[in-house]
């Protein structure tokens, strides 16, 4: 692929921390020119979210690992949002931009003249994506939004964790990251609409909306059958056996999705009688009788070593897998073969390169990711200020 899909698209990122920058990074990976506008002297909050930090070639810090997880492929400039001159500069950029991404509190950009109505006045074709905790409307709209709180309010913590333990959040910023991905989808849809109408759009993205949307089968179980879903640890509400099971040297994931896979599981485990037992004959009965079935299966799984049982179940066509640590993930031959880790040029760092994890989109065999590592604060100030594509000299 000689040209990336979004080459020529200009994105102005007025966002910090995670959801907005995640969206911007994804657009940059796909070829957009993403200019990240940061507060002069301060920068994105996550630059200081460490340790660990990346060492620069002079022995100082080049930002936190957290910051570098979400700002690959962008250009950075530093401006003072309280300065009338810098506000005018941002409006000049917006006049030439296709997309603006911002995650200020609702109404927070009005005083700077950088809200959607103000920027639409200078560029009616602008696609303006606002990302907040609770959206632009509703009783919670003025509140700040944090992923942890959203996970609690949005129901996922009531579904995650040991049934006998406390509610658990997901181990990454689940609502933030998915909101960034959904924002990207919304932006691309709005750009397609602009192709047809010539008019831009205001996209209203909320972390809570995203989290509620991601409740998936649990929300439907509730709305259709009145179910009040509870924490089930590593079990599945609608499939059995579909959970973590113990083996002689640890645990594995057993994930049968149909009756045929269940039958083959029983054959591998040496309990063929459980296939025809009327209590377990189909998935409905297995869900209703999970507390009877699972101890019978576990009494057999613990007789096998991890690698041996995985090999036997895989050979029988049963979905099964290990539970990898993060280091094990990046040693996994499939992850290596798919090129998920990339080492990007970063001449300002001590190592000269910076490791990164590419996003999962592959088009025509090409794995797409930004061509350079995350920028230092204001690293591209002169380049962007003098770039005719962003209005210099106009």
């Amino acid at each position: 692929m000689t040209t990336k899909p979004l080459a020529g698209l200009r994105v102005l990122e007025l966002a910090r921390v995670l959801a907005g920058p995640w969206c911007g990074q994804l657009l940059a990976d796909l070829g957009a020119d993403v200019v990240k506008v940061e507060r002069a002297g301060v920068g994105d909050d996550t630059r200081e979210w460490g340790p660990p930090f990346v060492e620069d070639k002079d022995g100082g810090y080049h930002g936190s690992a957290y910051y570098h997880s979400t700002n690959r492929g962008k250009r950075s400039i530093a401006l003072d949002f309280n300065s009338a001159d810098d506000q005018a500069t941002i409006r000049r950029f917006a006049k030439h931009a296709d997309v603006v991404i911002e995650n200020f509190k609702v109404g927070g950009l009005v005083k700077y003249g950088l809200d959607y109505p103000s920027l639409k006045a200078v560029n009616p074709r602008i696609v303006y994506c606002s990302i907040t905790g609770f959206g632009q409307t509703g009783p919670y709209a003025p509140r700040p939004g944090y992923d942890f709180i959203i996970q609690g309010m949005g129901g996922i913590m009531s579904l995650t964790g040991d049934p006998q333990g406390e509610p658990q959040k997901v181990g990454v910023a689940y609502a933030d990251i998915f909101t960034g991905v959904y924002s990207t989808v919304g932006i691309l849809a709005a750009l397609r609409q602009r192709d047809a109408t010539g008019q831009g759009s205001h996209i209203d993205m909320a972390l809570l909306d995203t989290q509620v949307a991601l409740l998936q089968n649990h929300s439907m179980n509730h709305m259709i059958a009145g179910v009040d879903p509870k924490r089930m640890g590593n079990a599945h509400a609608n499939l059995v056996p579909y959970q973590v099971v113990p083996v002689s040297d640890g645990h594995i994931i057993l994930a049968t999705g149909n009756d045929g896979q269940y039958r083959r599981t029983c054959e591998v485990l040496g309990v063929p009688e459980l296939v025809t037992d009327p209590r377990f004959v189909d998935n409905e009965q297995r869900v209703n009788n999970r507390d009877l079935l699972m101890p019978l299966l576990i009494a057999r799984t613990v007789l096998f070593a991890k690698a041996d049982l995985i090999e036997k179940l895989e050979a029988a066509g049963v979905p099964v897998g290990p539970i990898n640590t993060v280091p094990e993930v990046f040693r996994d031959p499939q992850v290596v073969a798919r090129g998920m880790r990339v080492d990007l040029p970063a001449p300002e760092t001590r190592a000269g390169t910076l490791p990164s994890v590419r996003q999962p989109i592959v088009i025509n065999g090409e794995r797409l990711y930004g061509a350079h590592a995350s920028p230092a604060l204001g690293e591209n100030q002169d380049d962007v200020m003098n770039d005719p594509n962003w209005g210099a000299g106009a």
Side-chain angles (χ1 to χ4, degrees), residues 281-299:
V281 70
D282 59 29
N283 186 67
E284 180 179 2
Q285 294 305 316
R286 293 194 295 276
V287 170
N288 291 336
N289 294 293
R290 75 169 71 232
D291 291 342
L292 299 175
L293 174 61
M294 289 314 302
L296 298 176
L297 295 180
I298 288 170

Side-chain angles (χ1 to χ4, degrees), residues 46 52 67 77 104 177 206 220 223 244 306 346 354 370 385:
T46 62
Y67 167 77
I77 63 173
F104 283 70
I177 290 172
M220 296 303 289
M223 292 188 289
V244 170
K306 183 190 307 184
L354 193 67
M385 296 294 285

